[in-house]
Amino acid sequence: MASVAGKLHVLVACALLLLAVGCQASPFWPLEIGYYHDKCPQAEAIAKGVMEKAIFQNPGNGAAMIRMLFHDCFVEGCDASVLLDPTPFSPTPEKLSPPNDPSLRGFELIDAIKDAVEAACPGVVSCADIIAFAARDASCILSRGKVNFDMPSGRRDGTFSNASEPLKFLVPPTSNLSDLVASFVIKGLNTEDLVILSGAHTIGRSHCSSFVSDRLNTPSDINGGFAAFLRGQCPADATPGGNDPTVMQDVVTPNKLDRQYYKNVLSHTVLFTSDAALMTSAETARMVVENAKIPGWWEDRFEKAMVKMAGIEVKTGYQGQIRKNCRAINHY
């Protein structure tokens, strides 16, 4: 862990460089475990306390936080850009983009954590770190402690958010394997990360419109009995913003983060084309079998993949800002 003295040394060196050569520099500090140990020692405990209450009230709150981390990090990096509300100067932020609206939820929960942290340490903890802490804590709580890892922090919040960006990087659930892999590779993640992080589909709900057209209304490999069950839950003409109910992604252990997802992939009882796609190559099919069959195998890899994803294109050092309100950019 870098010391405060070490950081000051970096800043002094960069300042001297600026004076010597007149160039622009942006010091980049790596994320650290325990980044707030001195600045706001209560920060992580506060976040976990809010998450425990929220998940006790509704386990779906945990699923929402894990999904929010993914949707934030894949667009502009892990910088809380997904939290920004529309303004006259930026009327169409990420949260209004089709991959996020209306399905992404949990914004009020992030607000609650931010409010509690601000009361303890004003202006210190970034919204981006709050999302990362919330996703980590949700993983631990919903897995009954089997997924338990430290989350490095030190992210800063971004100042740009546009609804066009999620469409570039968040591929739809109708995607095939090659499109899925490509979307991960461009963010520095690999095929195994894709398979491992897909396991988060063992919790949470999905709108019917995300799978009806390509899984139920057209021929697919979906299990016949499961398809019949889904037809009883979903209208054939489900459309976003219209008649579009939700169903559990994993009907076996819907509120537990576990390896059941991979068993569902093997039994063709998954919702999305993107889930079924994991069986369309020998490499990914082997990974599915390993995760389904070997106790503890998936949990160990999920911990590492979450930390890796939460490090995508982070802003640190002089980059970004620490927002006072997660929904709005600071204006000085």
Side-chain angles (χ1 to χ4, degrees):
M1 185 182 299
S3 66
V4 173
K7 290 179 180 178
L8 289 173
H9 178 75
V10 171
L11 290 175
V12 170
C14 289
L16 291 172
L17 179 63
L18 287 170
L19 290 172
V21 300
C23 64
Q24 293 184 346
S26 179
F28 179 89
W29 298 341
L31 300 181
E32 304 174 13
I33 293 172
Y35 177 82
Y36 295 106
H37 182 269
D38 297 323
K39 303 177 181 181
C40 186
Q42 317 100 300
E44 297 192 43
I46 290 171
K48 187 171 185 179
V50 175
M51 285 304 304
E52 287 174 337
K53 292 178 182 178
I55 292 174
F56 178 78
Q57 294 171 350
N58 177 5
N61 285 325
M65 292 298 96
I66 295 172
R67 185 166 184 252
M68 184 174 286
L69 180 68
F70 169 63
H71 280 233
D72 182 41
C73 291
F74 266 60
V75 183
E76 297 300 318
C78 309
D79 68 348
S81 54
V82 74
L83 302 179
L84 291 171
D85 279 344
T87 69
F89 300 102
S90 180
T92 55
E94 289 172 34
K95 64 168 50 173
L96 298 184
S97 187
N100 296 326
D101 184 25
S103 62
L104 195 66
R105 48 186 294 272
F107 298 106
E108 294 80 9
L109 182 49
I110 295 294
D111 291 338
I113 298 173
K114 178 64 171 176
D115 289 345
V117 171
E118 284 292 301
C121 315
V124 174
V125 182
S126 70
C127 301
D129 277 341
I130 287 174
I131 295 176
F133 291 151
R136 174 202 59 191
D137 295 335
S139 300
C140 183
I141 296 164
L142 291 173
S143 68
R144 317 299 195 264
K146 291 185 177 180
V147 174
N148 190 1
F149 59 96
D150 292 322
M151 176 62 79
S153 51
R155 299 165 189 80
R156 290 172 65 85
D157 300 322
T159 57
F160 172 80
S161 183
N162 190 282
S164 65
E165 296 302 299
L167 296 170
K168 299 176 185 177
F169 300 109
L170 297 173
V171 296
T174 54
S175 300
N176 60 32
L177 184 60
S178 61
D179 288 340
L180 292 166
V181 171
S183 73
F184 271 60
V185 168
I186 199 171
K187 294 300 176 180
L189 304 180
N190 58 34
T191 302
E192 183 180 38
D193 295 322
L194 164 66
V195 175
I196 294 298
L197 291 169
S198 294
H201 288 175
T202 190
I203 52 172
R205 306 181 69 91
S206 169
H207 284 274
C208 292
S209 60
S210 295
F211 60 85
V212 163
S213 63
D214 62 318
R215 297 287 279 165
L216 301 182
N217 293 348
T218 57
S220 72
D221 71 339
I222 195 167
N223 174 278
F226 187 54
F229 165 76
L230 292 175
R231 290 189 180 99
Q233 306 293 312
C234 295
D237 60 349
T239 53
N243 184 12
D244 194 14
T246 62
V247 298
M248 288 292 185
Q249 294 199 83
D250 172 8
V251 297
V252 182
T253 57
N255 295 325
K256 187 177 181 182
L257 188 71
D258 58 16
R259 58 194 171 100
Q260 180 62 43
Y261 166 79
Y262 300 98
K263 299 177 183 179
N264 296 344
V265 173
L266 293 174
S267 63
H268 302 283
T269 54
V270 285
L271 296 182
F272 306 136
T273 295
S274 58
D275 294 324
L278 299 185
M279 294 302 293
T280 59
S281 86
E283 179 189 17
T284 55
R286 173 184 55 77
M287 295 177 188
V288 169
V289 171
E290 290 171 345
N291 290 320
K293 303 293 186 183
I294 306 173
W297 184 274
W298 173 73
E299 289 86 351
D300 178 66
R301 283 155 181 76
F302 186 72
E303 293 172 356
K304 295 178 176 63
M306 284 287 282
V307 171
K308 189 175 178 181
M309 179 173 70
I312 294 174
E313 298 167 14
V314 294
K315 296 171 177 63
T316 64
Y318 291 152
Q319 300 168 316
Q321 59 182 213
I322 305 296
R323 288 187 217 139
K324 297 175 182 178
N325 174 356
C326 289
R327 295 172 178 262
I329 295 167
N330 298 341
H331 294 287
Y332 300 104

